[in-house]
Amino acid sequence: MHVQLTHTDNCAGTRAHAHARAHTHTPGRAASWRNIMAEGCAWFLVLGSVLLCNLAKTLIPTVSSFLSKVFQKDAEAEMEMRTDIQEMKMELSTVSMMDEFARYARLERKINKTTDKLKSHVKSRTAYQAKVKWGVNIVYHVLQAVLMVTLIWKFYASPVTVLPSKWIVPLERLVAFPSGVAGGVGITCWLVVCNKVVALLLQAVG
């Protein structure tokens, strides 16, 4: 009876140990699977980042123009000046220079004055738009640099994807830089490829 109980306890202990070991290794396997999935999507993550950067670059003129309109509140004044000039020119066309010289000269001076004012305003607006565009360009390039540095730092020691070594011979080491993994595609090489592919794609679409 004592032997039977001991055997039963041993079996129960073995099952409990196996159950605990299974639970212990499950998180490790899950983590390993997540790592494999992350590495498998690395090339797509880099490609998507490059694509987004290039799309954002094409939107710089639109964003700059929008911001200029938002922060420059005197667009209505410019429109009024243009309207006034058109009306005065129409009125001037109905005035005889010989019969109403004083009125003609007065209207002409007024038109010239308003035109000079409009030119000055347009020049100021153009300079402001150039400053806004320059600012948007600076912000874009800073964000792009931060993104590229982050990607290089993240994938510095590991390849974004792995190919059969015979596919990239004799450039295996160059393609794998800086990871150094045989058959691997390093982040620097993949960034160059992505930029070229995206540029050709946008050129074809545009």
Side-chain angles (χ1 to χ4, degrees), residues 16-198:
H17 179 68
H19 184 68
R21 185 171 57 186
H23 278 279
T24 301
H25 288 285
T26 299
R29 288 199 297 270
S32 178
W33 176 249
R34 285 196 297 269
N35 290 336
I36 292 171
M37 290 295 292
E39 291 175 1
C41 295
W43 66 271
F44 184 74
L45 173 64
V46 178
L47 177 60
S49 300
V50 172
L51 178 60
L52 286 176
C53 283
N54 281 271
L55 289 175
K57 188 175 182 179
T58 62
L59 294 175
I60 287 178
T62 304
V63 174
S64 301
S65 179
F66 173 76
L67 292 176
S68 297
K69 291 178 181 179
V70 168
F71 293 108
Q72 200 169 23
K73 302 296 185 180
D74 50 357
E76 293 183 1
E78 182 179 329
M79 184 63 68
E80 288 179 5
M81 283 188 283
R82 292 183 184 277
T83 303
D84 290 342
I85 291 171
Q86 289 290 338
E87 291 177 352
M88 286 187 290
K89 284 183 176 180
M90 290 180 63
E91 183 180 353
L92 185 64
S93 64
T94 63
V95 178
S96 173
M97 185 177 179
M98 299 298 295
D99 298 336
E100 300 179 85
F101 179 77
R103 183 185 174 192
Y104 187 94
R106 185 168 62 251
L107 275 172
E108 195 171 41
R109 285 195 301 270
K110 193 173 181 181
I111 290 172
N112 291 337
K113 183 178 180 181
T114 308
T115 300
D116 290 341
K117 187 177 179 181
L118 177 61
K119 287 179 179 179
S120 177
H121 185 275
V122 170
K123 185 178 180 180
S124 175
R125 175 172 56 81
T126 303
Y128 180 77
Q129 287 177 343
K131 289 181 180 179
V132 171
K133 187 176 182 180
W134 178 80
V136 172
N137 267 292
I138 291 295
V139 171
Y140 164 77
H141 284 101
V142 168
L143 293 177
Q144 183 188 38
V146 170
L147 177 60
M148 294 300 108
V149 169
T150 302
L151 289 173
I152 292 173
W153 175 79
K154 180 175 177 60
F155 298 107
Y156 185 85
S158 58
V160 293
T161 189
V162 178
L163 302 174
S165 298
K166 61 182 180 180
W167 288 12
I168 49 180
V169 172
L171 303 175
E172 185 176 359
R173 290 187 178 182
L174 181 63
V175 173
F177 179 83
S179 67
V181 177
V185 179
I187 181 63
T188 51
C189 178
W190 188 240
L191 281 174
V192 172
V193 171
C194 289
N195 274 288
K196 189 63 177 179
V197 169
V198 169

